[in-house]
Amino acid sequence: MSGAQEPLLCALHDSSLASVLPGIMTCVHCGFCLQACPTYRVLGDENDSPRGRIRLMRAVVEGDIPLDDPAFETHIDRCLGCRACETACPSGVPYGQLLETARSAMLQHDRRLPFVAVVVLWIFARPMPLAFVLWGARVLRGTGIPGMLARFGGKLGALMAMLHATRPVLLTSPYTRRGTNARGTVTQLEGCVMKGLLAGTNAATARTLATNGFSLVDSPGQRCCGALHAHAGDLRVARALARRNIAAFEASGSELIAVNAAGCGAMLKDYGHLLHDDADWNSRAAAISAKVRDVSELLASAGPAKGAETGHELDVCYDAPCHLLHAQRIARPPLDVLASIPGLKLIPLEDADQCCGAAGIYNLLEPEASAAVLAPKLGHIARTGAKYVITGNPGCLMQIGAGLAIAGISARVIHPVDLLDASYAALERG
Ligand code: SF4
Ligand code: SF4
């Protein structure tokens, strides 16, 4: 029997979940994705695997279980959205889109998000409250109190440990070395956490791009990329934020858009799909998505230029952000960036392609599952003996950094452009 020939039973014909039935039917239940799935590995329940979740989605579309079935909500909630199942799947199941659509359908069906999620999503959609909260977080971080509270564990301790993990690792004095501007114009996504808590990395991104021949242009008026909203199923707000960003990037006239946060980069590259039903915006969204590059892609395309020894002992391991490796399929460029730093020793990290359990605000909503996913990674990092863990996403940086601090492991987490920047600063110092 061919599923493509048969009329498909579709009890939920008025739900957005029914619209992705062709994607659901792409799954042939082979199970190749199971061992790639972090929640299946730690929870051992088929319903917490990609195959199980896809079966549940199909059961909802075919009317076997209701959309507000508590078990359906539980297993969809427990998904990290890491998309490791997509790279493992031989059938090309578009799992990320299925998950977002399932969560969106649940929200449209009067499902209430947890209070924490409502508050976080409300703040991230509004520039002024977001700026105020991040300013408060910077002030608190500057007192050193988060580092002390991190030791007490619990939810507050974990939150404070995440904030503590964002303090600068290597202080680099700005340098003036410039490339030839031959690689065209590029504008940066400022980001929310990146701009508010990791502004040094944003500055390092601009300097390293300029050193490698890119000409930086401003694009004022940016908002949150909308990834947190899209992953929670709030596609209405995600689309509204996307339209603001598209307008801002268009006005800049830049040829390329550099992103140093893997989760945000995956979202921007998906704007074309997010707005595909919007006749006024779909072609504009697709045009912007086509200009988006992770910063490591841009730097690797330029070589990148060699730096000098930083004077620090650089025994490092690299942990791949899921939204870089699985969502954007970018594996080699961050390693090319690291290879241009003299004196850096890259130590292999076991299961570097496995999720760290951060997943947006998953670590706030599902703390036990998040900690269980993170635990083996902390052990693998400790066994490398590395002084620095390199990763290109703020969520991973905060999650792994917090886990290391709570576990008493001395390694610090740092973005690859910060190390490259330190290497360029050393070159100018001579
Ligand atoms: S690997 Fe792909 S086709 Fe196979 S069970 Fe998983 S999602 Fe389905
Ligand atoms: S997105 Fe990640 S957690 Fe969710 S089903 Fe796929 S592999 Fe598992």
Side-chain angles (χ1 to χ4, degrees):
M1 181 180 87
S2 161
Q5 303 297 321
E6 291 290 311
L8 293 166
L9 175 65
C10 186
L12 253 187
H13 54 86
D14 57 347
S15 160
S16 54
L17 195 52
S19 69
V20 291
L21 189 57
I24 291 172
M25 299 305 288
T26 314
C27 177
V28 296
H29 318 300
C30 64
F32 286 175
C33 54
L34 297 189
Q35 286 308 317
C37 174
T39 55
Y40 179 72
R41 282 167 62 137
V42 299
L43 300 169
D45 184 339
E46 168 77 16
N47 288 321
D48 286 313
S49 76
R51 183 172 65 182
R53 292 184 176 113
I54 292 165
R55 273 191 195 278
L56 288 171
M57 289 178 204
R58 183 174 171 183
V60 167
V61 173
E62 295 184 345
D64 293 337
I65 57 172
L67 188 56
D68 56 2
D69 185 294
F72 179 71
E73 293 181 353
T74 297
H75 298 298
I76 295 298
D77 282 351
R78 280 197 202 138
C79 177
L80 291 148
C82 69
R83 294 169 66 177
C85 46
E86 279 190 28
T87 38
C89 176
S91 294
V93 173
Y95 183 85
Q97 289 173 13
L98 302 185
L99 178 68
E100 270 175 19
T101 308
R103 287 181 171 163
S104 170
M106 286 155 67
L107 268 193
Q108 287 166 13
H109 199 69
D110 290 339
R111 203 241 169 151
R112 290 195 183 280
L113 289 173
F115 179 69
V116 176
V118 172
V119 171
V120 172
L121 297 181
W122 187 90
I123 291 171
F124 273 76
R126 290 164 179 79
M128 294 303 284
L130 178 63
F132 180 72
V133 167
L134 291 171
W135 170 80
R138 281 197 303 277
V139 171
L140 182 60
R141 182 179 66 184
T143 65
I145 293 171
M148 290 184 257
L149 292 179
R151 291 188 214 123
F152 295 106
K155 280 186 182 170
L156 179 65
L159 206 56
M160 291 296 105
M162 285 167 62
L163 178 58
H164 189 56
T166 63
R167 67 202 192 284
V169 181
L170 296 175
L171 289 173
T172 303
S173 41
Y175 50 93
T176 53
R177 191 163 173 264
R178 288 284 180 273
T180 59
N181 287 350
R183 295 193 179 272
T185 52
V186 62
T187 191
Q188 263 183 270
L189 175 77
E190 293 167 351
C192 304
V193 173
M194 293 306 300
K195 183 182 178 188
L197 297 178
L198 295 158
T201 303
N202 273 2
T205 299
R207 286 192 293 263
T208 52
L209 287 171
T211 302
N212 281 281
F214 294 95
S215 177
L216 275 292
V217 296
D218 287 336
S219 44
Q222 295 178 33
R223 297 283 189 272
C224 168
C225 69
L228 293 179
H229 304 82
H231 297 165
D234 192 348
L235 299 182
R236 184 186 64 79
V237 173
R239 289 180 181 124
L241 292 167
R243 292 185 193 101
R244 297 294 291 255
N245 287 326
I246 291 164
F249 292 134
E250 285 175 342
S252 77
S254 180
E255 294 163 77
L256 294 163
I257 300 158
V259 185
N260 58 14
C264 310
M267 184 76 247
L268 262 60
K269 287 182 177 179
D270 203 36
Y271 274 0
H273 173 77
L274 182 70
L275 291 166
H276 74 280
D277 278 342
D278 186 331
D280 293 333
W281 287 85
N282 54 11
S283 58
R284 293 170 67 180
I288 289 299
S289 287
K291 294 181 176 187
V292 176
R293 304 283 186 281
D294 185 76
V295 62
S296 65
E297 287 181 279
L298 294 176
L299 292 169
S301 72
K306 281 265 183 202
E309 295 217 14
T310 61
H312 299 276
E313 189 190 323
L314 294 186
D315 287 355
V316 310
C317 59
Y318 173 70
D319 191 64
C322 294
H323 282 87
L324 198 59
L325 183 64
H326 302 302
Q328 299 187 55
R329 313 275 171 122
I330 295 172
R332 188 70 225 170
L335 300 174
D336 291 341
V337 169
L338 298 180
S340 66
I341 302 171
L344 181 141
K345 181 181 165 201
L346 184 64
I347 305 164
L349 175 63
E350 190 177 343
D351 284 347
D353 59 347
Q354 280 278 313
C355 183
C356 66
I361 54 173
Y362 184 93
N363 47 8
L364 301 180
L365 301 177
E366 303 280 345
E368 288 86 14
S370 172
V373 169
L374 175 63
K377 189 171 292 295
L378 297 178
H380 296 324
I381 291 170
R383 277 189 287 283
T384 66
K387 208 165 169 200
Y388 300 102
V389 182
I390 317 291
T391 197
N393 191 49
C396 312
L397 186 148
M398 294 168 79
Q399 168 89 343
I400 299 171
L404 291 172
I406 291 168
I409 301 166
S410 62
R412 288 291 313 273
V413 190
I414 185 169
H415 195 288
V417 301
D418 282 322
L419 275 187
L420 185 65
D421 190 52
S423 165
Y424 289 162
L427 193 65
E428 184 155 292
R429 280 199 308 271

